[in-house]
Amino acid sequence: MKHFLDIHKTDPADLRAMIDSARAMKTARNDRPKGEADDEQPLAGRMVALIFEKPSTRTRVSFDVGVRQMGGQTMVLSGSEMQLGHGETIADTARVLSRYVDLIMIRTFEEATLLEMAEYADVPVINGLTNRTHPCQIMADVMTYEEHRGPIGGKKIVWSGDGNNVCASWIHAAGQFGFDLTFTGPETLDPEPVFVDFARKKGANIVIERDPAKAVQGADAIVTDTWVSMHDPQSARERRHNQLRPYQVNEQLMSLARPDALFMHCLPAHRDDEATSAVMDGPNSVIFDEAENRLHAQKAVLRWCLGV
Ligand code: CP
Ligand code: NVA
């Protein structure tokens, strides 16, 4: 069973093949109207369940469109409207859904939910974000970086802000794709040591630097994300804003990186909090390419999971 649960759990050669496949599919779609089927229909006759226990725009639409472009069908399910949200176990839900559908994508809170779904499902399961990681996003982000700047291997990526789920998958990717990553943020919001240890064991240079001005020196890309994630309590909002304000990505911070440093953000953004509009809409920003590439990268992930 080929589940796509995390970047660090997937073979680096497979990750690389998926990025290549995503780029080939993107090229093949050039000039084709949005939503129209691809020439190849590798998912014909397949049904994909998309389960959301948290809000989503990009993940929901890009998976739905991607499956349809490849000839498959989707069913978008909200966790709260399923029996899952009313006491049915994850294991039973996984076994039942496996009798109907060919693949399950789930966005959930606890990583344990994703892992239990994968353990009991007889079909591939894809991680569409948990509190801890967001691997599909980082597949799109590696693809985006490479479209603009060539191979990511050996480059210096700087994460400025909260050491959250998206940061975690970037750190996993540093280990798997062979680039260096500097984290800059307050100590209380550091990424979990287990993520850093994984990447370091794989040979990536992972640096923790409290001073954002020092951190971005020589950066090939500066990446950030919201200061308050969907799983964070709203009561922590003010404290987080106060702690993270020095790590805002603004034109001043960008000016200390390499002149061609990309600005990246998975979106949704809170403009003028974690990044200024001037940076988000500036010449080095690739945020909407990242959003588009969710579609192409996930089509490659779906094909890998299904072996088609
Ligand atoms: N980046 C991302 O996963 O966006 P959504 O929450 O809109 O899916
Ligand atoms: N860190 C954010 C990412 C959203 C795509 C969250 O978990 O809310």
Side-chain angles (χ1 to χ4, degrees):
M1 190 68 62
K2 280 157 97 181
H3 299 303
F4 187 74
L5 301 179
D6 266 315
I7 300 273
H8 70 300
K9 291 180 180 169
T10 310
D11 186 82
D14 286 359
L15 294 171
R16 174 50 64 196
M18 283 186 250
I19 300 278
D20 293 347
S21 157
R23 288 190 69 170
M25 280 189 281
K26 181 173 181 175
T27 304
R29 274 205 72 81
N30 280 352
D31 303 328
R32 198 182 272 280
K34 276 192 176 60
E36 195 175 278
D38 291 355
D39 287 336
E40 269 191 287
Q41 297 281 281
L43 264 63
R46 310 274 186 150
M47 178 63 76
V48 174
L50 306 173
I51 304 174
F52 290 91
E53 296 196 302
K54 287 175 175 169
S56 170
T57 296
R58 279 143 289 267
T59 306
R60 178 178 167 153
V61 178
S62 58
F63 264 108
D64 201 343
V65 170
V67 171
R68 289 166 194 243
Q69 285 179 356
M70 296 191 291
Q73 296 188 66
T74 59
M75 191 178 286
V76 182
L77 303 161
S78 135
S80 60
E81 287 165 8
M82 296 170 72
Q83 298 293 10
L84 181 64
H86 300 272
E88 186 166 22
T89 67
I90 299 151
D92 287 350
T93 305
R95 288 185 279 226
V96 169
L97 288 180
S98 300
R99 303 286 178 107
Y100 304 132
V101 304
D102 301 288
L103 184 144
I104 300 166
M105 190 291 308
I106 180 166
R107 164 169 288 195
T108 187
F109 288 86
E110 299 305 326
E111 182 178 65
T113 305
L114 169 79
L115 298 181
E116 197 172 335
M117 188 70 82
E119 185 180 347
Y120 290 95
D122 295 325
V123 297
V125 172
I126 295 177
N127 176 359
L129 178 145
T130 70
N131 295 357
R132 287 188 86 211
T133 60
H134 195 4
C136 289
Q137 179 67 52
I138 274 47
M139 292 299 282
D141 291 352
V142 169
M143 174 180 173
T144 304
Y145 182 91
E146 295 195 332
E147 272 180 345
H148 286 272
R149 294 288 183 263
I152 198 167
K155 299 294 183 182
K156 176 179 174 178
I157 308 298
V158 175
W159 179 279
S160 185
D162 181 16
N164 65 12
N165 45 5
V166 178
C167 178
S169 288
W170 265 106
I171 294 171
H172 284 152
Q176 298 292 59
F177 288 95
F179 57 86
D180 297 335
L181 188 142
T182 295
F183 170 84
T184 185
E187 193 174 351
T188 48
L189 299 176
D190 272 352
E192 289 178 43
V194 66
F195 301 136
V196 173
D197 292 347
F198 167 82
R200 284 185 177 150
K201 277 200 190 102
K202 286 280 195 163
N205 185 25
I206 308 293
V207 174
I208 310 274
E209 167 58 62
R210 300 286 163 223
D211 180 350
K214 279 192 196 147
V216 300
Q217 280 169 23
D220 294 292
I222 301 181
V223 195
T224 191
D225 185 16
T226 180
W227 288 342
V228 186
S229 283
M230 292 182 274
H231 61 274
D232 290 322
Q234 276 304 313
S235 57
R237 189 178 179 280
E238 196 178 333
R239 178 172 46 79
R240 285 176 155 269
H241 274 239
N242 289 336
Q243 285 180 302
L244 287 161
R245 200 159 286 119
Y247 299 95
Q248 182 192 62
V249 184
N250 48 38
E251 284 174 303
Q252 158 68 14
L253 194 67
M254 287 297 294
S255 75
L256 302 174
R258 282 173 54 100
D260 65 347
L262 296 180
F263 171 69
M264 304 184 75
H265 189 312
C266 64
L267 304 180
H270 299 77
R271 283 175 175 263
D272 300 312
D273 284 345
E274 69 267 17
T276 58
S277 281
V279 169
M280 290 181 61
D281 301 327
N284 291 9
S285 172
V286 291
I287 56 178
F288 298 111
D289 292 335
E290 292 174 76
E292 177 186 339
N293 287 338
R294 294 293 300 279
L295 170 67
H296 309 294
Q298 288 158 191
K299 285 168 75 175
V301 172
L302 286 159
R303 293 186 74 161
W304 176 82
C305 285
L306 292 167
V308 294

